[in-house]
Amino acid sequence: MRIDLHTHSRASDGTDTPAELVRAASGAGLDVVAITDHDTATGWAEAEETAREVGIELVRGMEVSTRHQGAGVHMLAYLPDPTHPGLEQALAKILAGRNSRVPAMLERLRTHGIAIQAQDVRRVSPGTAATGRPHVADALVELGVVSDRTEAFRQWLNPGRPAYVDRYAASLLDVMAVVAQAGGVSVIAHPWGRHGPDQPDEAEIAALAQAGLAGLEVDHQDHGADDRCRLRAIARNLGLVVTGSSDYHGTGKRDHDLGVNTTAPEEYARLLELAAAAAQRSGRATPQVLRP
Ligand code: AMP
Ligand code: ZN
Ligand code: FE
Ligand code: FE
């Protein structure tokens, strides 16, 4: 069983449509794939349709932009009811923050002599519900300013670079609570990835486990072998589920091919058990894993 629990489509900042993503997952020999676009469930329906066609197991999820103790934290939420009003509200506020940031980034680029307009960003991001820096990067590529997303981030869009603008992110603990109310489970994405120096240590992760955290994404391209080893030990100590995933973005991110990291079947089974328990506690009609 090959299981990849973190991928992006054009519903956020991946380059495949949800249908193409699911087809690619099947073509890559995966048995299970989760669609986890940033801050939105808008790709789910199309992914579901294709999953039925190609016969792959589909987990519906999202990667929510949160903040905890001053640091950005990406929270993978699996199988929550997307119609839960509290979750809808939280996502709407994050998406509004994404949209209001774009004009500010473009203004900074124009200050630096780059003639870039909102329509240039819209043209390269058809189908997205969650406009982000990667789309501004794609517009810069199309305008011939840089050669690819990586260069755009390095020169313009990373923190400390001229066009970087911060945006609103929800409180991590609030999001964990609302995901639980919506009958889903929470897993911290790339906990020791590129989020600056404020990486959560074991004590902080223990506090999150107390607050209902289900798991940690240990095997991720942002983590070196040593970090993976230490994170795995922390997860074991705290009884957290260990996941491994690609964080695939189509052609938008190098070295993140589908299945480059995978989740062990027994860990996936535990995650689904926790999701089933959360669904029952919530009393909501949550999405179920779609089995071929
Ligand atoms: P945003 O959410 O709009 O702040 O953009 C952050 C997203 O950009 C992350 O979730 C990554 O998927 C993507 N990203 C960050 N750095 C890079 C990079 N160097 N190349 C491509 N994508 C990146
Ligand atoms: Zn992304
Ligand atoms: Fe992320
Ligand atoms: Fe991601």
Side-chain angles (χ1 to χ4, degrees), residues 6 8 38 63 247 249:
H6 181 170
H8 297 267
H38 298 285
E63 184 177 15
D247 202 359
H249 282 68

Side-chain angles (χ1 to χ4, degrees), residues 24-45:
S26 173
L30 294 176
D31 302 287
V32 181
V33 67
I35 180 170
T36 54
D37 277 303
H38 298 285
D39 309 313
T40 185
T42 52
W44 288 9

